[in-house]
Amino acid sequence: MQKSTNSDTSVETLNSTRQGTGAVQMRIKNANSHHDRLSQSKSMILTDVGKVTEPISRHRRNHSQHILKDVIPPLEQLMVEKEGYLQKAKIADGGKKLRKNWSTSWIVLSSRKIEFYKESKQQALSNMKTGHKPESVDLCGAHIEWAKEKSSRKNVFQITTVSGNEFLLQSDIDFIILDWFHAIKNAIDRLPKDSSCPSRNLELFKIQRSSSTELLSHYDSDIKEQKPEHRKSLNQIFGSHLHKVCERENSTVPWFVRQCIEAVEKRGLDVDGIYRVSGNLATIQKLRFIVNQEEKLNLDDSQWEDIHVVTGALKMFFRELPEPLFPYSFFEQFVEAIKKQDNTTRIEAVKSLVQKLPPPNRDTMKVLFGHLTKIVAKASKNLMSTQSLGIVFGPTLLRAENETGNMAIHMVYQNQIAELMLSEYSKIFGSEED
């Protein structure tokens, strides 16, 4: 490493080699800038120094396309978009809950993954030379959300991966954590959300049935062995536009939404933390896969016994809508409505907007919030208040099409709108027919 320094600026140059190709990293930073030390976003290239990977034949790549360790990641996946120090706690590993243990980590965000380093930046780079690997998180198919209820600390958000790993990230400095949330969310949004996501494909074929060690790949093999005329066609529910799902079903409320709600109302109204507690992500992904493959689903089956899996799948359905339940074109109008000081005027403004929504959005909204009022009615047992459900569903159901620096303010309005829809449900939806 070559390093030159003057009174104001330091330049670090790192030469690293992979498969005979040189990559040069340069960073210019202001030595007096505290913020730059906390969070740096200059582009650079990370490579595994000294590691040479044997070429993979085309036949082998086709045969093992889901085995990620055998695939050399494209160079653009290694471009660093942001790096800096944050507080990190891993709270689940492969769906198994872990004890929350906060620690300071140097975090490196690239276009499709996050790497966590226990040491300082200089030590991390040194360890990379010796072959030490940081903890790496594939963002393809991952989900990010604010997690106020997961910690007494402020400014906490959670990242959940398709493999069932869950991480909490936190900073006491508002603009830093907002910047990180925005950067990671943008990275996730740019990645595929359907079956074209390599990590999701890998996990789908590794998911275990809840009552045995049988792999989901066995289920897929059963389908392949059927005669063509007996195979079920792809029934894409997750990741499709709401109006397209409804058009295929000739309805205004997706059958999957109704099925989940029916299951929760049958056996989940009294469950502590319903909709707040996370279900096993691997099982949720299995449910998602089956829903997209089959036309019928029995949520009373023992493998969906954990009601948090059902609620997790319902939340995932809404999160994966290409356009949220509250359409982008209505977002600012709902925000302006919730800002009104007079409560009666506020309710009337929101009601007027709801009536202008496309039928699938309006009717699905009515069914969902009507269901959530039943959750609130059992708050003494499930401990889920209107405010708690607002925090859970606000960012899931409505968001701006282009996030800006007002993310924190938007989050407050998102929660308040969801709360109003619940607390004033009869006034907003009461005059409409089922």
Side-chain angles (χ1 to χ4, degrees):
M1 177 178 292
Q2 300 172 347
K3 183 176 181 181
S4 60
T5 307
N6 56 32
S7 59
D8 297 317
T9 307
S10 64
V11 181
E12 298 175 6
T13 304
L14 174 65
N15 295 318
S16 58
T17 305
R18 178 171 181 169
Q19 297 185 5
T21 301
V24 179
Q25 300 175 335
M26 297 192 68
R27 174 169 304 283
I28 301 178
K29 66 180 181 179
N30 188 313
N32 296 323
S33 172
H34 175 67
H35 170 58
D36 190 56
R37 290 195 300 271
L38 286 170
S39 180
Q40 304 172 17
S41 304
K42 302 293 185 181
S43 294
M44 57 185 282
I45 298 176
L46 291 180
T47 61
D48 295 329
V49 181
K51 179 179 178 180
V52 178
T53 305
E54 293 295 326
I56 302 173
S57 68
R58 180 176 299 274
H59 173 73
R60 185 183 175 191
R61 284 200 304 270
N62 292 337
H63 180 70
S64 308
Q65 58 181 328
H66 299 302
I67 310 302
L68 300 182
K69 66 181 180 180
D70 286 339
V71 179
I72 302 174
L75 186 61
E76 62 268 17
Q77 294 179 9
L78 302 177
M79 296 300 295
V80 170
E81 298 186 1
K82 188 174 180 62
E83 57 182 328
Y85 284 110
L86 287 179
Q87 293 294 309
K88 183 207 78 171
K90 187 173 185 179
I91 59 174
D93 186 3
K96 181 180 180 181
K97 298 299 181 182
L98 302 176
R99 182 175 181 179
K100 182 165 54 184
N101 184 22
W102 289 101
S103 63
T104 301
S105 292
W106 177 267
I107 301 176
V108 177
L109 169 66
S110 61
S111 56
R112 73 164 297 136
K113 69 178 179 179
I114 295 177
E115 292 179 325
F116 298 115
Y117 296 89
K118 296 181 180 180
E119 308 89 350
S120 67
K121 179 186 175 184
Q122 295 299 329
Q123 290 174 313
L125 291 174
S126 176
N127 284 339
M128 286 177 66
K129 290 182 179 180
T130 59
H132 176 76
K133 294 281 188 177
E135 184 173 20
S136 181
V137 177
D138 190 346
L139 293 177
C140 194
H143 172 65
I144 182 172
E145 62 184 340
W146 294 99
K148 180 180 179 181
E149 74 284 356
K150 294 292 182 72
S151 173
S152 59
R153 298 188 178 199
K154 70 172 187 175
N155 301 336
V156 178
F157 65 79
Q158 177 175 329
I159 299 173
T160 306
T161 71
V162 294
S163 60
N165 294 338
E166 298 176 15
F167 300 87
L168 299 180
L169 297 178
Q170 186 268 343
S171 172
D172 289 334
I173 303 175
D174 294 351
F175 72 88
I176 288 181
I177 200 65
L178 285 172
D179 195 32
W180 270 103
F181 182 92
H182 182 57
I184 297 174
K185 183 177 184 300
N186 283 344
I188 293 174
D189 289 345
R190 287 194 300 266
L191 295 170
K193 295 180 174 62
D194 53 22
S195 58
S196 63
C197 176
S199 61
R200 173 163 285 171
N201 281 336
L202 178 63
E203 291 305 320
L204 287 174
F205 289 91
K206 284 186 176 180
I207 294 172
Q208 294 183 349
R209 296 190 183 273
S210 55
S211 59
S212 70
T213 58
E214 182 181 2
L215 297 180
L216 184 58
S217 57
H218 294 171
Y219 167 84
D220 183 65
S221 297
D222 291 340
I223 293 179
K224 291 181 179 179
E225 289 172 1
Q226 294 175 2
K227 295 181 179 180
E229 61 269 22
H230 294 151
R231 291 181 185 174
K232 296 180 183 291
S233 60
L234 181 66
N235 187 38
Q236 189 73 28
I237 301 296
F238 285 79
S240 294
H241 285 274
L242 180 64
H243 69 90
K244 291 184 178 179
V245 174
C246 291
E247 284 174 4
R248 288 198 299 266
E249 300 176 0
N250 193 26
S251 69
T252 55
V253 181
W255 68 268
F256 178 69
V257 172
R258 290 190 181 275
Q259 274 198 303
C260 289
I261 287 175
E262 181 182 347
V264 174
E265 293 183 357
K266 182 187 297 184
R267 52 191 171 95
L269 292 179
D270 295 338
V271 175
D272 185 3
I274 191 72
Y275 283 112
R276 176 180 57 79
V277 175
S278 301
N280 183 287
L281 185 59
T283 308
I284 293 172
Q285 291 287 2
K286 179 174 73 171
L287 176 56
R288 177 190 185 278
F289 178 77
I290 292 176
V291 168
N292 276 353
Q293 293 292 327
E294 294 187 316
E295 295 180 358
K296 294 183 180 180
L297 175 70
N298 179 17
L299 289 178
D300 290 330
D301 190 287
S302 60
Q303 61 183 321
W304 319 124
E305 180 180 7
D306 181 4
I307 197 62
H308 297 304
V309 167
V310 177
T311 58
L314 182 60
K315 289 187 293 182
M316 180 178 285
F317 168 80
F318 284 112
R319 282 199 304 267
E320 293 192 359
L321 288 174
E323 184 169 15
L325 185 61
F326 289 72
Y328 288 132
S329 59
F330 282 79
F331 178 79
E332 292 298 337
Q333 298 176 65
F334 273 102
V335 170
E336 290 304 314
I338 203 67
K339 287 181 180 179
K340 296 184 181 299
Q341 296 299 314
D342 180 70
N343 190 52
T344 301
T345 305
R346 186 187 306 123
I347 294 171
E348 287 301 318
V350 170
K351 178 178 179 179
S352 176
L353 289 172
V354 168
Q355 292 174 342
K356 295 177 183 177
L357 292 172
N361 300 74
R362 183 188 64 241
D363 293 352
T364 301
M365 199 177 291
K366 181 179 181 181
V367 169
L368 175 63
F369 281 105
H371 162 64
L372 294 180
T373 60
K374 297 178 182 179
I375 301 292
V376 174
K378 295 275 190 174
S380 60
K381 294 184 177 180
N382 60 41
L383 305 181
M384 291 301 290
S385 63
T386 299
Q387 183 180 21
S388 299
L389 289 170
I391 292 173
V392 171
F393 279 96
T396 297
L397 301 180
L398 70 159
R399 59 185 181 273
E401 185 171 10
N402 298 309
E403 295 286 0
T404 65
N406 296 323
M407 287 175 58
I409 298 176
H410 281 171
M411 184 171 65
V412 172
Y413 291 140
Q414 289 165 337
N415 297 351
Q416 289 179 350
I417 293 168
E419 289 177 37
L420 184 71
M421 303 287 280
L422 280 171
S423 61
E424 304 296 343
Y425 176 82
S426 60
K427 294 180 180 178
I428 295 173
F429 295 98
S431 62
E432 301 177 22
E433 298 181 356
D434 291 326

